[in-house]
Amino acid sequence: MPPPPALLVCLLLLAVPRPGEAAATPTRPLLFSLRARQVPAGALPRPASKLRFHHNVSLTVSLAVGTPPQNVTMVLDTGSELSWLLCAPGGGGRGASSFRPRASRTFASVPCGSPQCRSRDLPSPPACDGASRQCRVSLSYADGSSSDGALATEVFTVGQGPPLRAAFGCMATAFDTSPDGVVTAGLLGMNRGALSFVSQASTRRFSYCISDRDDAGVLLLGHSDLPFLPLNYTPLYQPSLPLPYFDRVAYSVQLLGIRVGGKPLPIPASVLAPDHTGAGQTMVDSGTQFTFLLGDAYSALKSEFLKQTKPVLPALNDPSFAFQEAFDTCFRVPQGRAPPARLPAVTLLFNGAEMTVAGDRLLYKVPGERRGGDGVWCLTFGNSDVVPITAYVIGHHHQMNVWVEYDLERGRVGLAPIRCDVASERLGLML
Protein backbone atom coordinates (compact mmCIF):
# COMPACT_ATOMS: atom_id res chain seq x y z
CA MET A 1 0.00 0.00 0.00
CA PRO A 2 1.21 3.55 -0.65
CA PRO A 3 2.06 5.67 2.36
CA PRO A 4 -0.78 7.82 3.76
CA PRO A 5 -1.16 11.40 2.52
CA ALA A 6 1.18 13.73 4.32
CA LEU A 7 1.27 17.44 4.97
CA LEU A 8 3.09 18.92 2.04
CA VAL A 9 5.71 21.56 2.63
CA CYS A 10 7.23 23.53 -0.21
CA LEU A 11 10.18 25.85 0.34
CA LEU A 12 10.15 28.50 -2.36
CA LEU A 13 13.36 30.31 -3.26
CA LEU A 14 12.86 33.85 -4.53
CA ALA A 15 15.82 35.58 -6.12
CA VAL A 16 17.11 38.78 -4.57
CA PRO A 17 18.89 40.68 -7.38
CA ARG A 18 22.50 41.70 -6.92
CA PRO A 19 23.78 43.95 -9.72
CA GLY A 20 26.77 42.77 -11.69
CA GLU A 21 26.78 39.15 -10.52
CA ALA A 22 27.72 36.31 -12.85
CA ALA A 23 26.11 32.89 -12.78
CA ALA A 24 29.06 30.89 -14.03
CA THR A 25 31.94 32.53 -12.18
CA PRO A 26 30.37 34.98 -9.71
CA THR A 27 32.56 37.64 -8.16
CA ARG A 28 29.91 38.17 -5.52
CA PRO A 29 27.63 35.47 -4.10
CA LEU A 30 24.08 35.14 -5.35
CA LEU A 31 21.78 35.69 -2.39
CA PHE A 32 18.24 34.33 -2.22
CA SER A 33 15.46 34.42 0.33
CA LEU A 34 13.99 31.06 1.29
CA ARG A 35 10.40 30.93 2.47
CA ALA A 36 8.57 28.01 4.00
CA ARG A 37 5.08 27.36 2.75
CA GLN A 38 2.58 24.75 3.86
CA VAL A 39 0.54 23.23 1.07
CA PRO A 40 -2.69 21.24 1.60
CA ALA A 41 -2.35 17.47 1.29
CA GLY A 42 -2.68 16.37 -2.32
CA ALA A 43 -1.66 19.72 -3.79
CA LEU A 44 1.65 18.45 -5.14
CA PRO A 45 2.13 15.60 -7.58
CA ARG A 46 4.31 12.65 -6.65
CA PRO A 47 7.56 13.23 -8.52
CA ALA A 48 9.80 10.60 -9.98
CA SER A 49 11.74 10.23 -6.76
CA LYS A 50 14.98 8.50 -6.09
CA LEU A 51 13.57 7.07 -2.86
CA ARG A 52 10.02 6.10 -2.01
CA PHE A 53 9.93 8.48 0.96
CA HIS A 54 10.74 11.47 -1.28
CA HIS A 55 7.19 12.12 -2.37
CA ASN A 56 5.67 14.69 -0.08
CA VAL A 57 8.24 17.40 0.65
CA SER A 58 10.32 19.35 -1.82
CA LEU A 59 12.74 22.27 -1.76
CA THR A 60 12.08 24.24 -4.91
CA VAL A 61 13.93 26.98 -6.74
CA SER A 62 12.51 29.23 -9.45
CA LEU A 63 14.70 29.79 -12.51
CA ALA A 64 14.38 31.30 -15.97
CA VAL A 65 15.27 28.87 -18.77
CA GLY A 66 15.53 29.43 -22.53
CA THR A 67 15.28 32.40 -24.91
CA PRO A 68 12.89 34.10 -24.45
CA PRO A 69 13.01 32.98 -20.80
CA GLN A 70 10.44 30.57 -19.43
CA ASN A 71 9.94 30.53 -15.67
CA VAL A 72 10.20 27.03 -14.19
CA THR A 73 10.21 25.63 -10.67
CA MET A 74 12.70 22.85 -9.95
CA VAL A 75 13.37 20.66 -6.92
CA LEU A 76 16.72 21.57 -5.33
CA ASP A 77 18.49 18.26 -4.72
CA THR A 78 22.03 17.90 -3.37
CA GLY A 79 21.66 14.14 -3.76
CA SER A 80 21.24 14.13 -7.56
CA GLU A 81 23.46 15.03 -10.46
CA LEU A 82 21.64 15.59 -13.74
CA SER A 83 19.16 18.44 -13.74
CA TRP A 84 16.04 17.71 -15.74
CA LEU A 85 12.90 19.42 -16.94
CA LEU A 86 9.61 17.94 -18.04
CA CYS A 87 9.46 19.04 -21.68
CA ALA A 88 6.17 19.70 -23.46
CA PRO A 89 5.91 17.43 -26.52
CA GLY A 90 4.89 20.17 -28.92
CA GLY A 91 5.69 23.67 -27.79
CA GLY A 92 2.21 25.07 -27.75
CA GLY A 93 1.53 23.99 -24.17
CA ARG A 94 1.15 26.76 -21.64
CA GLY A 95 1.28 24.82 -18.41
CA ALA A 96 3.72 26.12 -15.79
CA SER A 97 4.64 22.52 -15.10
CA SER A 98 6.62 21.98 -18.30
CA PHE A 99 9.36 23.55 -20.39
CA ARG A 100 8.66 24.24 -24.09
CA PRO A 101 11.89 23.59 -26.01
CA ARG A 102 10.43 24.54 -29.40
CA ALA A 103 9.59 27.98 -28.04
CA SER A 104 13.26 28.67 -27.21
CA ARG A 105 15.88 29.89 -29.69
CA THR A 106 18.75 28.60 -27.55
CA PHE A 107 17.63 24.98 -27.05
CA ALA A 108 20.00 22.38 -28.51
CA SER A 109 20.01 18.58 -28.43
CA VAL A 110 23.24 16.86 -27.41
CA PRO A 111 24.56 14.58 -30.20
CA CYS A 112 25.85 11.09 -29.52
CA GLY A 113 29.47 12.10 -30.15
CA SER A 114 29.48 14.79 -27.48
CA PRO A 115 31.70 14.28 -24.39
CA GLN A 116 28.59 14.97 -22.29
CA CYS A 117 27.02 11.84 -23.78
CA ARG A 118 29.92 9.77 -22.48
CA SER A 119 29.52 10.82 -18.85
CA ARG A 120 30.14 8.03 -16.34
CA ASP A 121 29.01 9.99 -13.28
CA LEU A 122 25.34 9.15 -13.80
CA PRO A 123 23.96 5.92 -12.28
CA SER A 124 22.84 4.89 -15.79
CA PRO A 125 25.20 6.19 -18.52
CA PRO A 126 23.57 8.03 -21.44
CA ALA A 127 22.76 6.01 -24.55
CA CYS A 128 22.73 6.84 -28.24
CA ASP A 129 19.50 6.87 -30.25
CA GLY A 130 20.59 5.24 -33.50
CA ALA A 131 17.84 6.83 -35.59
CA SER A 132 18.20 10.43 -34.45
CA ARG A 133 21.85 10.25 -33.34
CA GLN A 134 20.76 12.11 -30.21
CA CYS A 135 21.92 11.34 -26.69
CA ARG A 136 19.24 9.76 -24.49
CA VAL A 137 19.06 9.58 -20.69
CA SER A 138 17.00 7.42 -18.38
CA LEU A 139 16.87 7.96 -14.63
CA SER A 140 15.57 5.10 -12.49
CA TYR A 141 14.85 5.31 -8.78
CA ALA A 142 14.50 2.93 -5.86
CA ASP A 143 10.71 3.30 -5.72
CA GLY A 144 10.37 1.97 -9.26
CA SER A 145 9.67 5.35 -10.87
CA SER A 146 11.72 6.74 -13.73
CA SER A 147 12.24 9.70 -16.05
CA ASP A 148 13.22 9.30 -19.69
CA GLY A 149 14.21 11.79 -22.34
CA ALA A 150 16.97 13.45 -24.32
CA LEU A 151 20.14 15.12 -23.12
CA ALA A 152 20.14 18.75 -24.21
CA THR A 153 21.68 22.13 -23.46
CA GLU A 154 19.88 25.35 -22.69
CA VAL A 155 20.44 28.76 -21.19
CA PHE A 156 19.70 29.06 -17.45
CA THR A 157 19.40 32.44 -15.71
CA VAL A 158 19.77 32.71 -11.93
CA GLY A 159 18.84 36.05 -10.40
CA GLN A 160 20.30 38.88 -12.50
CA GLY A 161 23.48 37.05 -13.40
CA PRO A 162 24.39 36.50 -17.05
CA PRO A 163 22.94 33.41 -18.75
CA LEU A 164 24.68 30.07 -18.25
CA ARG A 165 24.49 27.35 -20.90
CA ALA A 166 24.20 23.98 -19.17
CA ALA A 167 23.33 20.40 -20.03
CA PHE A 168 20.12 18.92 -18.64
CA GLY A 169 17.64 16.15 -19.31
CA CYS A 170 14.66 17.16 -21.45
CA MET A 171 12.28 14.49 -20.19
CA ALA A 172 9.30 13.15 -22.09
CA THR A 173 7.93 11.32 -19.04
CA ALA A 174 7.97 12.47 -15.43
CA PHE A 175 5.12 13.42 -13.08
CA ASP A 176 1.74 15.05 -13.42
CA THR A 177 0.87 18.70 -13.01
CA SER A 178 -0.66 20.18 -9.88
CA PRO A 179 -4.02 21.97 -9.86
CA ASP A 180 -2.99 24.25 -7.00
CA GLY A 181 -0.32 26.30 -8.76
CA VAL A 182 2.61 25.02 -6.69
CA VAL A 183 4.11 23.06 -9.52
CA THR A 184 7.55 21.62 -10.11
CA ALA A 185 8.75 21.20 -13.67
CA GLY A 186 11.83 19.19 -12.84
CA LEU A 187 14.88 18.75 -10.67
CA LEU A 188 18.02 20.84 -10.16
CA GLY A 189 20.93 18.48 -9.51
CA MET A 190 23.40 19.93 -7.00
CA ASN A 191 25.83 17.10 -6.22
CA ARG A 192 29.51 16.94 -7.26
CA GLY A 193 29.09 15.17 -10.60
CA ALA A 194 30.39 16.67 -13.84
CA LEU A 195 26.87 17.31 -15.17
CA SER A 196 25.44 18.82 -11.97
CA PHE A 197 24.35 22.44 -11.93
CA VAL A 198 27.02 23.16 -9.30
CA SER A 199 29.81 21.84 -11.53
CA GLN A 200 28.55 23.44 -14.76
CA ALA A 201 28.11 26.82 -13.03
CA SER A 202 31.61 26.57 -11.49
CA THR A 203 30.08 27.14 -8.06
CA ARG A 204 32.71 26.10 -5.53
CA ARG A 205 30.71 26.98 -2.45
CA PHE A 206 27.02 27.26 -1.63
CA SER A 207 24.99 27.20 1.54
CA TYR A 208 21.49 27.49 2.91
CA CYS A 209 19.37 27.78 6.03
CA ILE A 210 16.01 25.99 5.92
CA SER A 211 13.31 27.52 8.11
CA ASP A 212 11.05 25.38 10.30
CA ARG A 213 8.05 27.65 9.70
CA ASP A 214 6.97 30.59 7.54
CA ASP A 215 10.05 32.63 8.41
CA ALA A 216 12.65 33.74 5.92
CA GLY A 217 15.46 31.35 5.20
CA VAL A 218 18.49 31.83 3.00
CA LEU A 219 20.16 30.27 -0.03
CA LEU A 220 23.64 31.54 -0.90
CA LEU A 221 25.36 30.53 -4.14
CA GLY A 222 29.06 31.34 -4.20
CA HIS A 223 31.73 32.33 -1.72
CA SER A 224 30.98 34.63 1.18
CA ASP A 225 32.62 35.03 4.60
CA LEU A 226 30.01 34.92 7.35
CA PRO A 227 31.73 36.00 10.60
CA PHE A 228 28.50 35.76 12.62
CA LEU A 229 28.28 32.00 11.94
CA PRO A 230 30.41 29.71 14.14
CA LEU A 231 30.70 27.00 11.50
CA ASN A 232 32.20 23.65 12.44
CA TYR A 233 33.50 21.70 9.47
CA THR A 234 33.62 18.01 8.75
CA PRO A 235 35.62 16.75 5.76
CA LEU A 236 33.96 15.16 2.77
CA TYR A 237 34.69 11.44 2.78
CA GLN A 238 36.06 9.74 -0.31
CA PRO A 239 37.50 6.20 -0.42
CA SER A 240 40.89 5.81 -2.06
CA LEU A 241 39.56 3.24 -4.55
CA PRO A 242 36.29 3.12 -6.52
CA LEU A 243 33.73 0.93 -4.78
CA PRO A 244 30.57 -0.49 -6.41
CA TYR A 245 28.04 0.79 -3.85
CA PHE A 246 29.69 4.10 -2.96
CA ASP A 247 28.21 7.22 -4.54
CA ARG A 248 31.41 9.19 -5.15
CA VAL A 249 29.65 12.39 -6.27
CA ALA A 250 27.42 12.62 -3.18
CA TYR A 251 28.19 14.89 -0.22
CA SER A 252 29.46 12.09 2.01
CA VAL A 253 30.74 12.65 5.56
CA GLN A 254 31.97 10.35 8.30
CA LEU A 255 29.40 9.42 10.95
CA LEU A 256 31.32 8.55 14.12
CA GLY A 257 28.57 8.07 16.68
CA ILE A 258 25.05 8.85 17.91
CA ARG A 259 23.91 10.13 21.32
CA VAL A 260 20.38 10.01 22.73
CA GLY A 261 19.75 12.36 25.63
CA GLY A 262 23.50 12.67 26.05
CA LYS A 263 24.01 8.89 26.21
CA PRO A 264 26.27 7.38 23.51
CA LEU A 265 24.70 4.46 21.69
CA PRO A 266 26.70 1.21 21.73
CA ILE A 267 27.17 1.07 17.96
CA PRO A 268 30.43 -0.42 16.65
CA ALA A 269 32.47 1.90 14.44
CA SER A 270 32.28 -0.68 11.66
CA VAL A 271 28.49 -0.26 11.52
CA LEU A 272 28.80 3.50 10.92
CA ALA A 273 31.51 3.32 8.24
CA PRO A 274 31.26 2.16 4.61
CA ASP A 275 32.14 -1.51 4.18
CA HIS A 276 34.45 -3.06 1.57
CA THR A 277 31.76 -2.60 -1.13
CA GLY A 278 31.12 1.07 -0.29
CA ALA A 279 27.71 0.40 1.27
CA GLY A 280 27.10 2.39 4.44
CA GLN A 281 28.22 5.89 3.46
CA THR A 282 26.59 8.91 5.12
CA MET A 283 25.08 11.46 2.70
CA VAL A 284 23.79 15.00 3.31
CA ASP A 285 20.78 15.25 0.99
CA SER A 286 18.40 18.18 0.53
CA GLY A 287 16.20 16.00 -1.69
CA THR A 288 15.19 13.70 1.17
CA GLN A 289 12.75 14.74 3.89
CA PHE A 290 13.80 12.77 6.97
CA THR A 291 16.96 11.00 8.16
CA PHE A 292 17.61 7.30 7.58
CA LEU A 293 19.93 4.96 9.46
CA LEU A 294 21.06 1.47 8.54
CA GLY A 295 19.30 -1.29 10.45
CA ASP A 296 21.72 -1.93 13.33
CA ALA A 297 22.12 1.76 14.12
CA TYR A 298 18.38 2.36 13.78
CA SER A 299 17.59 -0.50 16.18
CA ALA A 300 19.97 0.95 18.79
CA LEU A 301 18.43 4.41 18.42
CA LYS A 302 14.87 3.03 18.62
CA SER A 303 15.60 1.01 21.76
CA GLU A 304 17.21 3.89 23.65
CA PHE A 305 14.66 6.50 22.57
CA LEU A 306 11.77 4.28 23.66
CA LYS A 307 13.51 3.64 26.98
CA GLN A 308 14.11 7.32 27.73
CA THR A 309 10.62 8.48 26.66
CA LYS A 310 8.65 5.69 28.35
CA PRO A 311 7.76 7.78 31.44
CA VAL A 312 6.32 10.69 29.42
CA LEU A 313 5.29 9.37 26.01
CA PRO A 314 3.21 6.20 25.48
CA ALA A 315 4.48 4.04 22.62
CA LEU A 316 2.07 3.08 19.83
CA ASN A 317 2.81 -0.65 20.29
CA ASP A 318 1.42 -1.60 16.88
CA PRO A 319 3.89 -3.92 15.08
CA SER A 320 1.84 -3.72 11.87
CA PHE A 321 2.14 0.06 11.54
CA ALA A 322 5.04 1.95 9.97
CA PHE A 323 4.71 5.47 8.58
CA GLN A 324 5.98 5.54 4.98
CA GLU A 325 7.07 1.94 5.54
CA ALA A 326 10.32 2.93 7.32
CA PHE A 327 9.19 4.79 10.48
CA ASP A 328 7.99 2.41 13.17
CA THR A 329 9.13 4.22 16.33
CA CYS A 330 5.74 5.80 16.96
CA PHE A 331 3.74 7.17 19.87
CA ARG A 332 0.23 8.12 20.95
CA VAL A 333 -0.50 11.76 21.76
CA PRO A 334 -3.98 13.08 22.65
CA GLN A 335 -5.66 14.85 19.72
CA GLY A 336 -5.17 18.59 19.78
CA ARG A 337 -2.09 18.35 21.96
CA ALA A 338 1.60 18.41 21.14
CA PRO A 339 4.16 15.88 22.43
CA PRO A 340 6.02 16.78 25.63
CA ALA A 341 8.48 19.60 25.13
CA ARG A 342 11.32 17.88 26.95
CA LEU A 343 12.31 14.89 24.86
CA PRO A 344 15.80 13.39 24.63
CA ALA A 345 17.77 15.10 21.86
CA VAL A 346 19.46 12.95 19.22
CA THR A 347 22.97 14.06 18.25
CA LEU A 348 24.81 12.84 15.18
CA LEU A 349 28.58 13.00 15.69
CA PHE A 350 30.90 13.66 12.76
CA ASN A 351 34.61 14.20 12.39
CA GLY A 352 34.91 17.81 13.60
CA ALA A 353 31.21 18.68 13.79
CA GLU A 354 27.87 17.47 15.11
CA MET A 355 24.17 17.93 14.41
CA THR A 356 21.61 17.89 17.23
CA VAL A 357 17.97 17.09 16.54
CA ALA A 358 15.71 18.30 19.34
CA GLY A 359 12.24 19.66 20.11
CA ASP A 360 9.63 19.53 17.38
CA ARG A 361 12.08 18.14 14.82
CA LEU A 362 12.14 14.80 16.67
CA LEU A 363 8.55 13.72 16.03
CA TYR A 364 6.22 14.04 13.03
CA LYS A 365 2.42 13.82 13.25
CA VAL A 366 1.12 11.21 10.83
CA PRO A 367 -1.75 12.86 8.92
CA GLY A 368 -5.11 11.14 9.29
CA GLU A 369 -3.83 8.40 11.63
CA ARG A 370 -5.71 8.01 14.94
CA ARG A 371 -6.00 5.53 17.76
CA GLY A 372 -9.19 6.38 19.62
CA GLY A 373 -8.77 9.94 20.85
CA ASP A 374 -5.04 9.94 20.16
CA GLY A 375 -3.03 11.03 17.19
CA VAL A 376 0.01 9.09 15.99
CA TRP A 377 3.44 10.72 16.05
CA CYS A 378 6.59 9.01 14.75
CA LEU A 379 10.29 9.55 15.32
CA THR A 380 11.80 11.32 12.31
CA PHE A 381 14.56 8.73 11.91
CA GLY A 382 13.75 5.83 9.61
CA ASN A 383 15.18 2.40 8.86
CA SER A 384 17.22 2.39 5.63
CA ASP A 385 17.05 -1.40 5.40
CA VAL A 386 13.32 -1.46 4.62
CA VAL A 387 13.34 1.30 1.98
CA PRO A 388 15.75 -0.22 0.85
CA ILE A 389 18.91 1.84 0.53
CA THR A 390 22.44 0.93 1.58
CA ALA A 391 23.37 4.28 3.13
CA TYR A 392 22.78 6.74 5.94
CA VAL A 393 20.88 9.77 4.61
CA ILE A 394 20.55 13.09 6.48
CA GLY A 395 17.39 14.76 5.22
CA HIS A 396 16.40 18.39 5.17
CA HIS A 397 13.94 18.09 8.08
CA HIS A 398 16.95 17.73 10.37
CA GLN A 399 18.76 20.55 8.60
CA MET A 400 16.13 23.09 9.68
CA ASN A 401 17.56 26.11 11.51
CA VAL A 402 21.05 24.86 10.73
CA TRP A 403 23.33 26.74 8.37
CA VAL A 404 24.69 24.11 5.99
CA GLU A 405 27.64 25.04 3.81
CA TYR A 406 29.02 22.89 0.98
CA ASP A 407 32.64 23.96 0.46
CA LEU A 408 34.05 22.20 -2.60
CA GLU A 409 37.25 24.26 -2.59
CA ARG A 410 38.36 22.68 0.68
CA GLY A 411 36.37 19.46 0.49
CA ARG A 412 34.20 19.93 3.57
CA VAL A 413 30.69 20.55 4.88
CA GLY A 414 30.09 23.25 7.50
CA LEU A 415 27.33 23.18 10.13
CA ALA A 416 26.13 25.86 12.54
CA PRO A 417 22.83 26.02 14.45
CA ILE A 418 21.11 29.35 13.88
CA ARG A 419 17.57 30.63 13.48
CA CYS A 420 17.00 31.33 9.82
CA ASP A 421 15.29 34.66 10.45
CA VAL A 422 18.36 35.79 12.42
CA ALA A 423 20.63 34.71 9.55
CA SER A 424 18.45 36.59 7.07
CA GLU A 425 18.61 39.73 9.19
CA ARG A 426 22.37 39.52 9.57
CA LEU A 427 22.76 39.12 5.81
CA GLY A 428 20.66 42.24 5.26
CA LEU A 429 17.70 40.67 3.51
CA MET A 430 14.63 42.85 3.60
CA LEU A 431 11.92 40.22 4.24
Side-chain angles (χ1 to χ4, degrees):
M1 293 180 61
L7 181 66
L8 306 175
V9 180
C10 191
L11 300 179
L12 305 179
L13 284 75
L14 308 175
V16 178
R18 290 291 188 270
E21 292 174 326
T25 54
T27 56
R28 298 178 62 188
L30 294 173
L31 186 62
F32 296 76
S33 62
L34 177 66
R35 294 186 183 277
R37 176 178 176 181
Q38 291 189 345
V39 185
L44 289 178
R46 176 168 182 169
S49 59
K50 62 179 180 299
L51 298 172
R52 71 179 62 168
F53 47 81
H54 176 193
H55 75 282
N56 61 346
V57 175
S58 297
L59 305 176
T60 63
V61 59
S62 298
L63 301 176
V65 182
T67 308
Q70 301 174 39
N71 293 325
V72 298
T73 301
M74 305 174 73
V75 173
L76 182 75
D77 190 355
T78 62
S80 293
E81 177 177 2
L82 183 66
S83 301
W84 59 266
L85 289 167
L86 176 61
C87 289
R94 297 182 179 180
S97 61
S98 61
F99 173 68
R100 305 182 302 281
R102 293 187 182 180
S104 172
R105 299 190 302 271
T106 49
F107 176 85
S109 298
V110 171
C112 293
S114 168
Q116 294 163 324
C117 195
R118 296 191 293 270
S119 172
R120 291 297 179 266
D121 286 348
L122 299 176
S124 298
C128 180
D129 185 321
S132 65
R133 302 302 299 169
Q134 292 183 356
C135 190
R136 307 289 299 180
V137 288
S138 178
L139 304 178
S140 299
Y141 302 99
D143 65 355
S145 60
S146 64
S147 295
D148 300 278
L151 193 63
T153 65
E154 186 52 283
V155 169
F156 289 73
T157 304
V158 181
Q160 290 192 334
L164 164 72
R165 178 167 286 278
F168 74 105
C170 186
M171 299 311 203
T173 60
F175 52 90
D176 296 332
T177 60
S178 162
D180 285 34
V182 183
V183 183
T184 55
L187 181 144
L188 192 67
M190 298 287 283
N191 74 8
R192 297 188 288 162
L195 293 182
S196 76
F197 188 80
V198 170
S199 297
Q200 294 189 80
S202 299
T203 300
R204 304 302 297 162
R205 187 181 297 187
F206 68 98
S207 53
Y208 53 66
C209 184
I210 301 169
S211 177
D212 61 346
R213 52 190 185 276
D214 194 19
D215 289 336
V218 180
L219 170 71
L220 193 61
L221 298 179
H223 174 83
S224 182
D225 290 324
L226 305 170
F228 62 89
L229 278 172
L231 283 165
N232 290 314
Y233 289 95
T234 184
L236 290 170
Y237 176 78
Q238 192 80 18
S240 56
L241 297 174
L243 299 174
Y245 294 107
F246 189 92
D247 185 350
R248 63 184 182 83
V249 293
Y251 295 103
S252 293
V253 295
Q254 290 180 281
L255 180 61
L256 301 182
I258 303 174
R259 291 197 304 257
V260 177
K263 179 180 179 179
L265 297 181
I267 305 174
S270 59
V271 171
L272 301 175
D275 64 18
H276 65 284
T277 69
Q281 71 188 108
T282 299
M283 301 182 288
V284 184
D285 186 3
S286 71
T288 296
Q289 181 183 5
F290 298 120
T291 293
F292 289 77
L293 308 177
L294 290 178
D296 289 346
Y298 175 76
S299 296
L301 171 63
K302 176 180 179 178
S303 176
E304 185 61 31
F305 194 83
L306 285 171
K307 178 181 178 181
Q308 294 192 27
T309 56
K310 185 175 182 179
V312 296
L313 195 59
L316 182 61
N317 289 325
D318 183 354
S320 65
F321 178 78
F323 174 55
Q324 293 187 11
E325 302 183 41
F327 300 85
D328 63 358
T329 307
C330 301
F331 306 88
R332 298 176 61 146
V333 178
Q335 283 290 113
R337 292 176 57 184
R342 297 178 67 90
L343 292 175
V346 177
T347 300
L348 304 177
L349 306 174
F350 308 107
N351 181 12
E354 62 183 46
M355 177 183 288
T356 297
V357 180
D360 57 8
R361 288 185 295 150
L362 283 166
L363 300 180
Y364 183 84
K365 188 178 188 300
V366 180
E369 196 72 30
R370 294 187 181 182
R371 296 293 188 276
D374 296 335
V376 175
W377 295 67
C378 295
L379 184 66
T380 51
F381 290 82
N383 188 344
S384 293
D385 289 3
V386 300
V387 174
I389 52 173
T390 58
Y392 296 87
V393 183
I394 301 171
H396 65 70
H397 182 79
H398 291 165
Q399 300 174 40
M400 290 180 178
N401 285 327
V402 176
W403 191 275
V404 183
E405 179 184 272
Y406 300 85
D407 184 353
L408 299 178
E409 290 177 329
R410 299 182 181 180
R412 60 186 187 173
V413 174
L415 303 171
I418 187 171
R419 279 177 43 190
C420 294
D421 56 342
V422 172
S424 298
E425 182 180 351
R426 297 295 296 269
L427 286 167
L429 291 180
M430 300 302 293
L431 302 167

